[in-house]
Amino acid sequence: MLGTFIFALVAVSLAAYRLDRLSYENFLQNTRTDTFLDLVEVRQEFYAVHHDHSLSLREMATFIAENPNLSQEEFADKAEQIRGGDDFIISIGGAPDLQLTMIYPLDGNEGALGLDYRANPEQLPAIQRMIENRGELVTGPVNLMQGGRGLILRLPVFLAEDDNSLWGVVSIVLDFEEFLVRSGFADAERTYDLMIEVVDKASGSKNEIVYGDPTLREKDAVSISLGFEFEDWLVHATTKDGWPNVSPTQWKERALIALITIAAMFLVAYVLWLSETRKRAELLLQNGIEALPDGFVIFDKQDRLIIHNSRYQELYEFPDEALKPGATFGEYVYSSSKGPQLLMSDADQAEWLENRANSRKTGVSLDVEQHLQDGRVIKASDRRMEDGSYVGIRVDVTELTLARETAEAANKAKTDFMGVLSHELRTPLTVILGVSRLAKNARLLGASKTLLSKIDSGDLSPDETEKLLDDVYSQFEKMMDKMIQSGEHLLHLINEMLDVAKIESGSLTIEPKVSNIADITSPVVEQLSSLARQKGLQFEVTQDAGTVFADVVRTRQILFNLVGNAIKFTDKGFVRLVVKVESKTVVFEVCDSGAGIPETELLSIFENFYQVDSTETRRVGGTGMGLTISRNLTKMQGGKLTVKSTIGKGSCFVLTLPSSATA
Ligand code: ADP
């Protein structure tokens, strides 16, 4: 910023200096033009004064040409007539045969009488040239013998009757100082420094400075030429003491330029400050949007990219070269062959693009969930701003979506479980209530009725009474068996629920110790073999003798569940329990020839309340808690519980437990 300011300062100062120079040059040019115009005026007057006296000279010459033998008196008369009383004409002379013998007025000019041009080598060539050319010769200024300076006009005189016969020369001597006054030269000299340089046309000899300051030559003076027949006068002029170094208005102009310069610098400083502020604001905005955890993007009215953060690029894996500010959405989405992580299916993608185009057309907000090819879910929200541009936020909601789906699944499982549980609880309760009601009306039972009617008839022998009472008892026994079974089932359900609650709260404790395998398996085999028999299943048990490092009650509970499930889900064939003692582990294998479990469900069945959704499951009942409890109990004992199953062929659950504490 400081660098730019200094640069601007130098540039503006240079411009100001240049402006100052231009203004001065302009002033100087105007001054020179004015000077030249004044010189033109002087030249006009100069010519006019010269012309007047040139005419007088010619009048004199004509008079002599016509009167070549004129006497001194006649000459003086004519000269007096021409001169009048004007002192400007110092003298009028006549030089027959190039010797000055006539002069008027004689007074004061006697010194010139007798001057012989032929004997004057300085003047002779010019005189001869004048005669040859029959022109007027202007000489001067010359120092006059009688004092002062004079300007001499000379003309050759040829006889009127013989044009080739030279009479001589007439001359008029003008007072040079007065000549300067009358031609306005003196007036001009009040304003200008002047110099007159005489250039001899014929000889081209070195110019002679006849008047004024010779240093004017070096002062780049303005010049004007005054042409006579045989010579030119070059008049040079500058203003007094040379050209002015400053114009009279220079200081005003300089003050104005300085003011403009200062104003320009203020403007530059203001613009720099604005641009710096803008840069800072942009940086702040860029840093701000960069710090956002979500993708951020702004498009202008024409749907061209204005700004985005790197999270936006990451989310869609846009290549670097694609996201150039100014690129339209269409351009950068399809700009690279690798392409961004667009939507999952072509249809999805087309739908998104259409929604987007619609939102741009109608100005409505856009809220869409995009499913990317790698499975991520992005929530895209675009909002239209007042100026027609769009601001977009892209949030990766993959985890949220998963969590939501999991929560929904868990919720559904719980709802399902409540349905299943209420069914499972109601069934045994209904049995218990039903049996209790029957027991309450014991007299109405078939066996009771028979006994009572026999008693009423009075012909009942003691043996018969005993038999009928046995019937009544056995009917009660059956009823009580049902009640007990239902009660136990209820107890089992409640225990399972308690176990699940304990597992979830982490309060379930387990006490593994080295135990006899048979102690664990025997009650299971005893209790469940009758159940298997009832279903007509073959219950095969093969077991190595030995010990296992386990909690007897809890391991038994696992086996009850596995074997119980095997019997429950098998209609024909076998249920097999094999216990193998291996080097460091004991393996309990529970296989059956039942319906089997679909492969997709093999993991889910270990989840709480999960049941394979089939009519078979519904028919045989259950709550989906057993395997969850079993796997948790297994884990707590340092073992593992796995399953293999083939649909239609059967399932095999394998429980592996350590054989000793160190295993
Ligand atoms: P429950 O038996 O009370 O329904 P579990 O957790 O013991 O609950 O079992 C979960 C589900 O696993 C059962 O509902 C059933 O669908 C399936 N399952 C368990 N064992 C077997 C088996 N041996 N054969 C077929 N399906 C089984």
Side-chain angles (χ1 to χ4, degrees):
M1 158 117 168
L2 188 67
T4 320
F5 183 77
I6 289 171
F7 177 76
L9 185 69
V10 170
V12 171
S13 305
L14 281 177
Y17 175 74
R18 182 83 195 108
L19 199 65
D20 180 58
R21 285 300 82 201
L22 279 177
S23 147
Y24 171 70
E25 278 164 25
N26 186 40
F27 157 75
L28 192 62
Q29 192 55 44
N30 287 340
T31 311
R32 289 172 71 92
T33 308
D34 290 346
T35 309
F36 184 76
L37 291 176
D38 284 349
L39 286 186
V40 168
E41 268 179 39
V42 169
R43 178 167 68 180
Q44 287 314 108
E45 288 187 45
F46 204 99
Y47 279 155
V49 175
H50 165 254
H51 185 67
D52 278 355
H53 294 89
S54 183
L55 282 180
S56 303
L57 188 65
R58 278 165 210 279
E59 190 184 336
M60 195 70 212
T62 309
F63 179 74
I64 295 174
E66 282 165 0
N67 307 287
N69 299 315
L70 79 173
S71 64
Q72 280 282 358
E73 284 73 35
E74 283 168 330
F75 178 85
D77 284 349
K78 184 65 184 171
E80 188 183 10
Q81 183 199 336
I82 289 172
R83 183 178 178 251
D86 189 356
D87 286 345
F88 177 35
I89 297 177
I90 293 175
S91 66
I92 298 174
D97 298 326
L98 306 184
Q99 189 164 20
L100 193 68
T101 52
M102 300 172 182
I103 201 155
Y104 176 85
L106 193 60
D107 258 8
N109 295 313
E110 300 91 342
L113 265 185
L115 176 80
D116 187 353
Y117 290 127
R118 285 200 188 83
N120 191 335
E122 256 179 49
Q123 292 189 1
L124 189 63
I127 302 283
Q128 278 172 340
R129 207 167 55 240
M130 173 190 77
I131 296 166
E132 268 165 40
N133 291 290
R134 302 187 177 210
E136 182 194 308
L137 177 67
V138 179
T139 313
V142 291
N143 290 325
L144 300 173
M145 284 177 190
Q146 60 268 44
R149 289 189 296 176
L151 184 68
I152 310 172
L153 314 183
R154 293 190 178 97
L155 198 66
V157 181
F158 290 90
L159 301 185
E161 54 202 28
D162 178 4
D163 196 24
N164 287 321
S165 289
L166 177 74
W167 174 84
V169 173
V170 282
S171 59
I172 291 184
V173 178
L174 298 174
D175 182 343
F176 185 66
E177 311 307 330
E178 182 62 17
F179 181 82
L180 293 182
V181 172
R182 294 199 181 188
S183 61
F185 202 89
D187 247 4
E189 209 162 23
R190 273 195 277 278
T191 317
Y192 303 107
D193 279 348
L194 295 169
M195 178 187 101
I196 301 173
E197 199 174 0
V198 176
V199 185
D200 186 347
K201 276 190 196 171
S203 68
S205 64
K206 236 174 115 200
N207 302 347
E208 191 191 348
I209 294 165
V210 294
Y211 181 83
D213 178 6
T215 63
L216 237 61
R217 266 205 181 127
E218 285 96 55
K219 289 184 180 167
D220 191 22
V222 170
S223 307
I224 193 165
S225 166
L226 279 68
F228 299 111
E229 261 184 279
F230 297 104
E231 56 191 8
D232 282 338
W233 282 21
L234 275 179
V235 180
H236 302 277
T238 64
T239 44
K240 281 275 172 213
D241 298 326
W243 300 113
N245 291 324
V246 288
S247 80
T249 55
Q250 192 95 354
W251 289 111
K252 262 193 223 157
E253 281 169 13
R254 282 187 178 166
L256 190 70
I257 291 172
L259 264 179
I260 293 172
T261 308
I262 290 168
M265 284 324 296
F266 268 112
L267 195 72
V268 167
Y270 180 64
V271 168
L272 283 176
W273 176 79
L274 269 188
S275 99
E276 190 67 16
T277 314
R278 195 193 143 107
K279 247 191 256 162
R280 239 181 283 141
E282 270 175 12
L283 195 71
L284 198 71
L285 176 71
Q286 185 72 48
N287 287 344
I289 67 167
E290 206 50 57
L292 287 176
D294 304 316
F296 180 91
V297 63
I298 296 182
F299 299 97
D300 70 6
K301 252 195 265 178
Q302 277 77 39
D303 216 9
R304 285 180 307 223
L305 186 69
I306 296 179
I307 198 172
H308 70 279
N309 64 2
S310 40
R311 181 76 181 125
Y312 177 72
Q313 184 178 4
E314 273 165 34
L315 278 180
Y316 297 100
E317 295 168 17
F318 284 121
D320 282 348
E321 69 278 4
L323 288 180
K324 292 269 176 303
T328 64
F329 174 75
E331 270 165 19
Y332 75 73
V333 165
Y334 299 108
S335 65
S336 90
S337 54
K338 187 185 160 225
Q341 263 286 353
L342 268 182
L343 309 183
M344 199 175 266
S345 66
D346 285 351
D348 250 13
Q349 190 170 323
E351 189 186 331
W352 151 243
L353 292 176
E354 196 187 318
N355 279 340
R356 194 178 181 286
N358 268 344
S359 110
R360 294 299 190 267
K361 231 182 273 164
T362 56
V364 294
S365 302
L366 186 70
D367 288 291
V368 186
E369 264 193 9
Q370 304 170 330
H371 296 268
L372 303 193
Q373 286 162 358
D374 61 4
R376 282 178 300 136
V377 183
I378 308 291
K379 187 171 187 307
S381 312
D382 282 4
R383 295 283 180 277
R384 191 175 187 277
M385 294 193 278
E386 251 175 34
D387 64 348
S389 51
Y390 273 79
V391 60
I393 298 277
R394 304 287 181 269
V395 185
D396 187 341
V397 291
T398 315
E399 279 180 20
L400 263 178
T401 311
L402 271 181
R404 190 183 64 208
E405 283 170 5
T406 313
E408 278 170 9
N411 198 29
K412 182 175 179 301
K414 260 192 179 148
T415 315
D416 290 351
F417 169 70
M418 292 310 287
V420 170
L421 184 67
S422 49
H423 171 78
E424 288 294 313
L425 288 175
R426 208 171 41 226
T427 313
L429 268 175
T430 315
V431 172
I432 291 168
L433 282 173
V435 172
S436 306
R437 282 194 192 101
L438 282 178
K440 192 180 167 195
N441 298 307
R443 289 161 201 280
L444 300 175
L445 290 173
S448 305
K449 275 190 194 158
T450 316
L451 176 64
L452 288 173
S453 69
K454 286 281 181 191
I455 292 171
D456 281 350
S457 66
D459 56 351
L460 202 61
S461 69
D463 283 350
E464 263 181 326
T465 310
E466 196 182 336
K467 188 189 166 294
L468 286 172
L469 267 176
D470 270 351
D471 287 348
V472 172
Y473 289 144
S474 78
Q475 194 166 9
F476 263 92
E477 259 171 36
K478 277 184 196 159
M479 284 163 55
M480 289 308 116
D481 270 351
K482 274 190 186 169
M483 274 207 6
I484 289 166
Q485 258 181 27
S486 296
E488 278 175 348
H489 187 58
L490 268 180
L491 187 65
H492 172 72
L493 281 178
I494 289 162
N495 278 340
E496 276 193 333
M497 285 169 67
L498 280 175
D499 283 348
V500 167
K502 277 185 189 165
I503 288 167
E504 279 185 356
S505 69
S507 61
L508 189 96
T509 49
I510 259 190
E511 286 171 18
K513 59 179 193 284
V514 179
S515 322
N516 246 329
I517 293 171
D519 286 348
I520 298 169
T521 54
S522 298
V524 180
V525 177
E526 261 170 39
Q527 284 186 36
L528 294 181
S529 52
S530 59
L531 200 64
R533 233 185 350 266
Q534 277 170 26
K535 284 191 81 173
L537 299 173
Q538 222 178 310
F539 189 18
E540 299 164 9
V541 181
T542 321
Q543 58 181 358
D544 292 348
T547 56
V548 61
F549 184 73
D551 182 312
V552 176
V553 178
R554 290 304 187 180
T555 310
R556 206 183 278 151
Q557 186 182 344
I558 298 170
L559 286 180
F560 261 117
N561 181 242
L562 297 182
V563 181
N565 275 350
I567 296 170
K568 201 160 73 166
F569 294 105
T570 307
D571 285 337
K572 59 177 190 282
F574 64 87
V575 169
R576 185 186 301 138
L577 169 65
V578 178
V579 187
K580 287 183 277 189
V581 178
E582 295 182 349
S583 61
K584 286 183 175 175
T585 53
V586 178
V587 179
F588 299 81
E589 225 176 60
V590 181
C591 297
D592 62 56
S593 58
I597 305 162
E599 208 179 324
T600 49
E601 313 263 356
L602 286 179
L603 282 179
S604 309
I605 53 173
F606 291 102
E607 284 169 18
N608 233 347
F609 317 130
Y610 191 89
Q611 293 182 304
V612 176
D613 192 11
S614 68
T615 45
E616 175 66 5
T617 313
R618 293 280 75 78
R619 186 172 63 80
V620 296
T623 55
M625 291 186 284
L627 285 178
T628 315
I629 297 168
S630 299
R631 183 167 261 188
N632 277 295
L633 292 176
T634 309
K635 273 191 197 159
M636 289 168 85
Q637 299 184 82
K640 58 181 183 191
L641 177 59
T642 56
V643 62
K644 278 185 195 146
S645 182
T646 314
I647 285 286
K649 285 201 168 167
S651 316
C652 259
F653 286 83
V654 181
L655 166 69
T656 311
L657 289 173
S659 55
S660 65
T662 50

